[in-house]
Each structure stands twice: as C-alpha cells, then as structure tokens.
Amino acid sequence: YPRYTVIGDHSTGEHHLRIQRVELMDDAIFECQAIQAAMRSRPARLTVLVAPEDPVISGGPVVSLRAGDPLNLTCHADNAKPAASIVWIRNGEVLNGAMYSKTLLRDGRRESTVSTLYLSPTNMETGQKIICKASNKAVPNGKETSVTIDIQRRVNPSSQHSPFGLCLKRAPHWSAADMEPCCNGTMP
C-alpha cells in the first residue's frame, strides 16, 4: 500500500496511519495490530465523502415551451457519497413539491440522485431562471446549474397581419406594393 504510511513516536508506542490521496476504496474499518504482543486497537471507521458531479438539467440551458403548457424539469446529480440532496430555486426562493429518486451505483458506495419539478403554466414567466442545487457532506455549499424559461406565445398561422397594421397580399415576389392597410382585421 504505497499511499499508506505509519507515523508517530514509535519509542513511546504512538502510531498513526497516514493515507495520502484518499480514494473511495479507502472507505473501510481500520485497526492497529501489535503482532508480537497479540494486541489490537479498537476499530476505527474511515468514511470517504465524494462530491456529486456537476448537476445537469435536462434540455438546458434554455427550455422552450408553448404558452399555457405545464413544464417538468429534471435535474440529476451523479456519483456522490452520500447521495446528493437536490433543491430547486427561483427568484431566491426554494420551490417545494419536487419528486426525488436515488440509485445505488454498481460499486455499492456511490449514488445518483434525480429530481423532477412540475411547474404549472400560471406559475412561469419567460426569461425566468430556475436553479438546481445539489449538495452533500463533501460539498455543503453545493454545486448548481440553471435553465432559462422561454415561453413561445401562440401565433395563429393563418394570420397575415404585420405588427405595423399592414396586411400582406399573397404574391410570388414581395415588394412594398404588396402591402395595404388592414381594415377591421381582415385581408383586403
């Protein structure tokens, strides 16, 4: 074990284990043994903490939807020990009501967390920023990512009205002569 070193004052019987560049495999129970004297110390548990990877919101960084449609946002924070806690934030306030799930990874130690937040259409504005913040004991201040909401207003595709109060005639080649004032919102 090249990363393990016993240090201390051996003449007084003081021995300490130094582990350099701690890895997840070091998460274990350790004990000191004096083989000639047939003595053992009490077991000591080393718990290795692993920060989650940077959180990711599906569909980000801009999430577009049609006006009036609800929105489900999904954020995942992977490979953490212990599993990450996820908090959703909008305008500095925590949003409640998200659903969470955790998955234990194949190594049996790390976990991935997924959180899904439902937003009703009456509770969103275009340009709003929604933050997903993931934290655990390894990163108590958390890591965050965000998306910006882009609400597409419904447009009537049959409308030929320009925003300047002019109506467009249908023609193969458009020119200024193809525009006429609109009357009562109808085509001339």
Side-chain angles (χ1 to χ4, degrees):
Y1 297 97
R3 295 180 300 107
Y4 292 16
T5 309
V6 176
I7 59 171
D9 186 352
H10 301 294
S11 64
T12 62
E14 183 181 318
H15 304 281
H16 303 281
L17 177 62
R18 174 184 287 163
I19 304 174
Q20 296 178 343
R21 298 176 312 281
V22 174
E23 297 176 2
L24 188 57
M25 65 182 269
D26 298 322
D27 188 290
I29 296 174
F30 292 84
E31 63 181 29
C32 181
Q33 297 179 0
I35 298 171
Q36 289 96 0
M39 294 174 56
R40 288 184 177 188
S41 69
R42 285 182 293 161
R45 176 97 173 103
L46 174 62
T47 301
V48 176
L49 305 176
V50 179
E53 293 176 358
D54 291 341
V56 175
I57 300 175
S58 302
V62 175
V63 175
S64 297
L65 67 149
R66 291 188 320 222
D69 287 351
L71 176 63
N72 282 318
L73 291 175
T74 300
C75 179
H76 61 91
D78 299 324
N79 300 313
K81 182 177 178 294
S85 296
I86 293 178
V87 175
W88 293 93
I89 302 167
R90 176 179 55 198
N91 300 330
E93 294 184 18
V94 173
L95 299 171
N96 295 314
M99 296 175 41
Y100 299 90
S101 66
K102 297 177 185 176
T103 304
L104 184 64
L105 302 180
R106 287 185 180 171
D107 63 19
R109 299 174 189 243
R110 294 173 297 141
E111 295 180 89
S112 290
T113 305
V114 176
S115 175
T116 301
L117 176 70
Y118 171 82
L119 293 171
S120 69
T122 58
N123 205 7
M124 288 183 287
E125 295 176 18
T126 198
Q128 263 184 344
K129 184 173 153 181
I130 309 289
I131 296 169
C132 168
K133 184 174 183 179
S135 62
N136 70 0
K137 290 180 180 179
V139 282
N141 292 333
K143 297 178 170 186
E144 55 185 57
T145 188
S146 66
V147 292
T148 301
I149 305 299
D150 178 33
I151 299 175
Q152 304 293 314
R153 301 292 171 205
R154 296 179 193 263
V155 177
N156 183 351
S158 64
S159 173
Q160 295 290 320
H161 302 284
S162 79
F164 304 104
L166 298 175
C167 295
L168 303 176
K169 295 180 183 178
R170 294 184 187 269
H173 303 288
W174 296 99
S175 71
D178 295 318
M179 292 187 272
E180 297 177 6
C182 291
C183 303
N184 299 327
T186 62
M187 294 286 292

